[in-house]
Amino acid sequence: MSMNMRRESMAIPIFVLMLILILPKSLAKNGTSVPNSDVNLLEFPLNLEFLEAEFFLYGALGYGLDRVAPQLTKGGPPPIGARKANLDNLTGDVILQFALQEVGHLRAIQNTVKGFPRPLLNLSSSSFARVIESAFGRKLRPPFNPYKNSLNFLIASYVIPYVGLTGYVGTNPNLSGTISKSLVAGLLGVESGQDAVIRALLYKHRQTIVKPYNITVAKFTNQISKLRNRLGRAGVKDEGLVVPKTLGAEGRVSGNVLSANQDSLSYGRTPMEILRIVYGSGNEHVPGGFYPKGANGRIAKSYLARA
């Protein structure tokens, strides 16, 4: 073999080695490239998607992911206290659509990054009752039951999807990969739509008295939003259905069917802020609320490790 031929034969494995070294270190399950810096940011929202999927599935059908899409749970424990809600036909139809959309969200994320098992979720009536009591700063009698009727379930639904929405808004600027940005944009679009539908349905009943509490729907939403602002500890990033005109669109209306800043842009939240809210503790290191043992994934676990 000539010297030139030996050099050419050596060049091939060297070239292959160079390709391996310059390829992205993290590859999505479908073979597309996802930068390492994006992986944890894409996995973290699974915590909220699991919460929404189980709440909506149980509310509409009386059962959850373990029957609808067990492979997506990755062996995580079933939720505590979730059950079928007493929903009218329209609300039941809408909530079932939301539920199946959340199944798609879980699959889309898990098809892009490895993901993690479903965390333990507390979706019991008492869990929601504690949120409402915290929002009003007093106990309600009887305790708030999200599964009692359509109006209660919509109020409980107001508690959940908007938090995930703000998380996607906050995550997007920190992503570097095209696949990552496309995924989050798609997720954000549908989560925003869900929140808009929930708010619109509640806005129609904003002056309706929620029995037996003698409190309007608008007051419920305002107090829940104030609670999330307080727990998030990052200023106003949440607004109820009726606000002072100074907070309404262009400072001209008090109706607030969509929550947004002074330029009518969506608010964004960090993972820390989201954990403070969904734990109900105001502290990303202290689990509780809907996540009695804490959320899953590297980001959430990193805060638990420093508790």
Side-chain angles (χ1 to χ4, degrees):
M1 182 183 294
S2 67
M3 183 66 71
N4 286 339
M5 290 179 64
R6 284 198 298 271
R7 286 175 178 172
E8 289 175 1
S9 65
M10 291 176 63
I12 294 174
I14 292 173
F15 174 72
V16 172
L17 178 62
M18 290 177 64
L19 276 178
I20 293 173
L21 291 174
I22 64 176
L23 281 172
K25 293 182 180 179
S26 175
L27 294 178
K29 291 172 68 176
N30 62 7
T32 54
S33 172
V34 174
N36 275 342
S37 59
D38 290 355
V39 172
N40 293 331
L41 293 173
L42 294 179
E43 288 187 332
F44 178 79
L46 282 170
N47 290 295
L48 278 298
E49 299 291 355
F50 276 123
L51 178 66
E52 294 174 40
E54 295 291 14
F55 182 58
F56 291 143
L57 282 170
Y58 270 94
L61 300 173
Y63 51 85
L65 287 169
D66 289 306
R67 282 182 59 179
V68 176
Q71 72 282 3
L72 296 179
T73 71
K74 293 184 177 289
I80 299 168
R83 63 183 181 87
K84 194 175 189 305
N86 182 23
L87 304 178
D88 60 53
N89 291 337
L90 173 62
T91 307
D93 183 6
V94 170
I95 296 304
L96 179 58
Q97 292 180 50
F98 288 178
L100 298 175
Q101 289 165 4
E102 296 306 329
V103 174
H105 289 180
L106 288 168
R107 185 177 61 249
I109 296 174
Q110 291 181 16
N111 282 343
T112 306
V113 290
K114 183 179 179 180
F116 47 71
R118 172 183 55 192
L120 179 64
L121 301 169
N122 186 350
L123 294 173
S124 64
S125 296
S126 59
S127 182
F128 282 92
R130 283 191 291 271
V131 172
I132 300 303
E133 288 173 359
S134 295
F136 283 96
R138 60 184 175 86
K139 291 186 178 297
L140 299 185
R141 290 287 181 263
F144 181 82
N145 179 359
Y147 303 107
K148 181 180 180 181
N149 55 48
S150 294
L151 190 58
N152 281 25
F153 195 85
L154 286 172
I155 291 172
S157 298
Y158 179 90
V159 172
I160 298 174
Y162 181 74
V163 179
L165 181 166
T166 58
Y168 286 130
V169 174
T171 294
N172 196 51
N174 297 314
L175 297 171
S176 56
T178 302
I179 296 296
S180 309
K181 292 178 179 179
S182 177
L183 174 63
V184 167
L187 292 164
L188 176 58
V190 175
E191 292 291 333
S192 300
Q194 290 179 354
D195 181 65
V197 170
I198 291 167
R199 292 180 71 100
L201 290 172
L202 288 172
Y203 189 76
K204 179 180 179 181
H205 296 284
R206 62 192 180 280
Q207 298 304 328
T208 298
I209 299 295
V210 181
K211 297 178 180 178
Y213 308 114
N214 199 32
I215 301 172
T216 65
V217 167
K219 183 69 172 178
F220 265 90
T221 64
N222 290 351
Q223 292 303 118
I224 291 168
S225 287
K226 288 178 181 178
L227 172 66
R228 290 190 295 214
N229 284 329
R230 185 166 70 250
L231 292 173
R233 299 181 1 229
V236 175
K237 295 188 176 181
D238 215 304
E239 299 168 347
L241 293 174
V242 179
V243 295
K245 280 190 177 181
T246 53
L247 292 179
E250 297 301 296
R252 299 179 62 182
V253 289
S254 59
N256 198 48
V257 72
L258 296 179
S259 178
N261 68 13
Q262 66 272 17
D263 294 317
S264 290
L265 303 177
S266 292
Y267 295 105
R269 284 189 169 111
T270 66
M272 284 190 299
E273 294 168 46
I274 289 172
L275 292 173
R276 293 168 188 163
I277 293 168
V278 297
Y279 287 172
S281 64
N283 187 332
E284 63 273 22
H285 304 291
V286 180
F290 297 118
Y291 300 84
K293 293 186 177 180
N296 279 349
R298 183 170 294 180
I299 291 176
K301 293 292 187 184
S302 70
Y303 293 116
L304 292 177
R306 287 179 275 164

